[in-house]
């Protein structure tokens, strides 16, 4: 597990998520039959489809859904895993591929008011699901942290407006707490022009994996592309990420700039033109990682290592005890600044709750058409609805 521990630190720092259980198998080229349609909800109002339900994050969301009064239908491409989860939680399920399957996706989404798209990497999965959601006029949320995916969704804002649906990416740890904290500090100043966020994912240290396989694979998609930063309202190439060393309580702490999704989402939420996100570094960051990840063979090798050496996600004890710390600072043209801190539960546990809080809001009629971000629609207090989240001014 030494390999897994080392790779986890490298990638997490650089990154830094009761109806019956009858199965419905639907292949890529098989048309949706009347019998299959009959097993789907007849009234789409309030109905939620969780796609990617059996992954680590999807499983956590599915198990918690009933606490928010949501009875979802579960979906994904692997019927064996899907059936096992559906039988455990007591929900219906439908086996459904994203590959070359647009018409069937539309037919299924026609029966749902909302799709929670939990299957990444979103570089490959977002577009086919969104294409179907537009045609079916179904609201869409996902957990992406991939900036290029969020930009692609933002570019389609008019399509979402025309369809009368809300598309809201990044409704988990990427980016609900940071988006809310950023909007909060921005609101304390007149005309803020700079925003800096420092993230400490191991604020309360607990042994065990910090990231799931899916998160790490999505992170590789980000690493394999040019590293960008938000400067003067534009996304520009960084070259190498900034590294900052500072003293905190007599201890030396190293911060590494990361391409966190707030450079897209908090720009939309706050309008601040200069945004930098830093992660507190754990251990050394080998210089070869970025070089390897930006080559196809290297990315494939790292994916193989993730699948071979990594657990599916953090163990229950880590979820119960680990905390993260977020500090956001806004600065305006006059040089005035305002900072605030947010403490959150473990990232995946927060994701389970935040995604379902937003899903509940949507099916309760609290949504706005077009491309949207969590804090812009639901306000800076949204994150405080998640159990275990606190905020204080600094």
């Amino acid at each position: 597990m030494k390999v897994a521990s080392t790779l986890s630190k490298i990638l997490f720092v650089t990154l830094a998520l009761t109806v019956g259980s009858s199965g419905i198998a639907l292949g890529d080229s098989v048309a949706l039959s009347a019998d299959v349609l009959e097993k789907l909800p007849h009234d789409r109002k309030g109905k939620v489809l969780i796609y990617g339900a059996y992954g680590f994050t999807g499983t956590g969301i599915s198990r918690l859904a009933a606490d928010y009064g949501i009875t979802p239908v579960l979906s994904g491409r692997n019927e064996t895993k899907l059936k096992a989860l559906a039988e455990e939680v007591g929900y219906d399920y439908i086996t459904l591929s994203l590959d070359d399957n647009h018409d069937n996706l539309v037919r299924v989404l026609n029966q749902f008011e909302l799709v929670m798209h939990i299957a990444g990497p979103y570089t490959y999965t977002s577009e086919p699901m969104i294409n179907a959601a537009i045609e079916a006029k179904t609201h869409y949320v996902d957990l992406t942290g991939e900036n290029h995916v969020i930009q692609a969704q933002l570019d389609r804002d008019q399509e979402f407006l025309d369809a009368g649906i809300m598309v809201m990416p990044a409704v988990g740890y990427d980016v609900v707490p940071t988006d809310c904290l950023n909007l909060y500090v921005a609101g304390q100043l007149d005309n803020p022009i700079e925003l800096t966020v420092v993230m400490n994912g191991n604020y309360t240290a607990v042994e065990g994996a910090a990231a799931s396989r899916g998160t790490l694979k999505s992170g590789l998609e980000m690493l394999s592309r040019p590293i960008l930063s938000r400067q003067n309202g534009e996304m520009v190439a960084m070259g190498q990420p900034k590294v900052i060393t500072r003293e905190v309580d007599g201890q030396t702490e190293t911060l590494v700039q990361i391409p966190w999704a707030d450079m897209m989402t908090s720009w939309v939420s706050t309008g601040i033109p200069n945004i930098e996100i830093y992660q507190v570094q754990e251990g050394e960051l080998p210089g070869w990682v970025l070089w390897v990840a930006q080559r196809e063979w290297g990315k494939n090798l790292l994916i193989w290592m993730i699948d071979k050496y990594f657990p599916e996600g953090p163990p229950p004890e880590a979820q119960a005890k680990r905390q993260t710390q977020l500090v956001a600072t806004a600065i305006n043209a006059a040089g005035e600044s305002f900072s605030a801190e947010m403490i959150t539960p473990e990232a995946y546990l927060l994701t389970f709750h935040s995604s379902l809080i937003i899903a509940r809001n949507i099916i309760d009629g609290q949504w706005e058409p077009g491309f949207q971000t969590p804090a812009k629609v639901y306000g800076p207090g949204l994150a405080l609805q998640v159990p275990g989240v606190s905020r204080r001014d600094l």
Side-chain angles (χ1 to χ4, degrees):
M1 289 305 296
K2 184 176 181 181
V3 173
S5 176
T6 301
L7 188 57
S8 178
K9 289 179 179 179
I10 292 168
L11 295 178
F12 190 70
V13 165
T14 311
L15 294 180
L17 161 247
T18 69
V19 292
S21 58
S22 57
I24 307 167
L26 187 59
D28 293 359
S29 59
V30 179
L32 191 64
S33 69
D35 289 343
V36 171
L37 261 180
E38 193 65 26
K39 294 180 181 180
L40 293 173
H42 288 207
D43 179 4
R44 75 198 311 253
K45 178 62 179 172
K47 299 303 189 296
V48 177
L49 182 75
I50 300 179
Y51 190 87
Y54 52 76
F56 179 80
T57 307
T59 295
I61 292 171
S62 299
R63 288 172 175 165
L64 192 62
D67 288 5
Y68 287 90
I70 295 173
T71 303
V73 173
L74 311 182
S75 189
R77 67 174 67 236
N78 187 313
E79 183 170 10
T80 300
K81 294 180 180 179
L82 200 54
K83 182 178 180 181
L85 177 62
E87 290 178 345
E88 174 197 333
V89 295
Y91 298 142
D92 205 350
Y93 73 91
I94 176 168
T95 307
L96 185 64
S97 172
L98 294 177
D99 301 329
D100 193 25
N101 206 22
H102 176 75
D103 290 346
N104 283 330
L105 285 168
V106 172
R107 293 185 183 105
V108 170
L109 291 189
N110 274 329
Q111 310 304 118
F112 295 91
E113 186 174 8
L114 168 68
V115 57
M116 301 180 71
H117 187 37
I118 318 299
Y122 292 96
T123 297
Y124 310 107
T125 68
S126 175
E127 185 174 7
M129 186 63 81
I130 284 182
N131 288 343
I134 291 171
E135 190 167 337
K137 301 187 185 305
T138 298
H139 301 303
Y140 168 102
V141 299
D142 69 30
L143 303 178
T144 189
E146 300 158 62
N147 281 296
H148 59 282
V149 172
I150 298 173
Q151 180 66 63
Q153 294 180 15
L154 178 58
D155 290 343
R156 302 182 71 176
D157 177 54
Q158 189 59 52
E159 293 180 65
F160 309 149
L161 289 169
D162 292 343
I165 64 172
M166 182 169 79
V167 169
M168 180 178 286
V171 299
Y173 185 73
D174 298 28
V175 295
V176 169
T178 44
D179 196 39
C180 290
L181 187 62
N182 293 341
L183 184 59
Y184 174 72
V185 299
Q188 310 306 309
L189 296 173
D190 292 328
N191 189 32
I193 59 171
E194 295 181 18
L195 176 66
T196 302
V197 182
V198 176
M199 310 174 68
N200 184 353
N202 211 21
Y203 177 67
T204 301
V206 179
E207 288 297 320
S212 72
R213 295 171 186 167
T215 298
L216 292 174
K217 290 176 182 178
S218 289
L220 282 176
E221 292 301 325
M222 294 163 63
L223 288 176
S224 67
R225 296 168 181 267
I227 305 299
L228 304 177
S229 179
R230 176 71 61 182
Q231 297 178 19
N232 297 319
E234 302 293 333
M235 295 291 280
V236 299
M238 291 165 46
Q240 292 296 318
K242 293 182 184 178
V243 178
I244 297 174
T245 301
R246 66 180 187 179
E247 293 293 320
V248 178
D249 297 328
Q251 301 292 320
T252 300
E253 187 174 76
T254 301
L255 308 180
V256 178
Q257 189 178 13
I258 57 173
W260 202 252
D262 285 278
M263 289 187 296
M264 288 299 308
T265 54
S266 284
W267 177 66
V268 172
S269 297
T270 70
I272 295 178
N274 300 286
I275 302 175
E276 292 186 345
I277 319 292
Y278 293 88
Q279 173 76 34
V280 176
Q281 179 171 319
E282 301 170 32
E284 295 299 318
L285 184 65
W288 52 265
V289 174
L290 189 59
W291 185 88
V292 170
Q294 292 184 338
R295 284 149 179 81
E296 191 64 28
W297 64 265
K299 184 170 72 171
N300 291 335
L301 174 62
L302 292 173
I303 289 173
W304 175 83
M305 293 175 68
I306 290 168
D307 285 333
K308 182 173 179 62
Y309 292 107
F310 274 80
E312 288 191 10
E317 57 270 24
Q319 288 191 338
K321 297 179 181 179
R322 182 179 286 145
Q323 291 179 302
T324 68
Q325 177 196 47
L326 311 170
V327 176
T329 300
I331 302 174
N332 66 13
E336 299 170 321
S337 66
F338 186 89
S339 299
E341 172 193 72
M342 183 175 284
I343 304 299
T344 84
E346 189 271 342
Y348 290 95
L349 184 58
L350 181 143
T351 294
F352 303 159
H353 284 279
S354 64
S355 60
L356 287 165
I357 289 170
I358 289 172
R360 183 73 254 176
N361 284 337
I362 292 170
I363 62 178
D364 284 345
Q366 300 174 43
W367 57 272
E368 297 178 12
F371 175 95
Q372 301 293 346
T373 59
K376 182 181 176 185
V377 175
Y378 300 115
L382 171 69
L384 299 178
Q385 298 177 34
V386 175
V389 173
S390 64
R391 185 187 69 204
R392 70 183 182 98
D393 298 346
L394 297 177

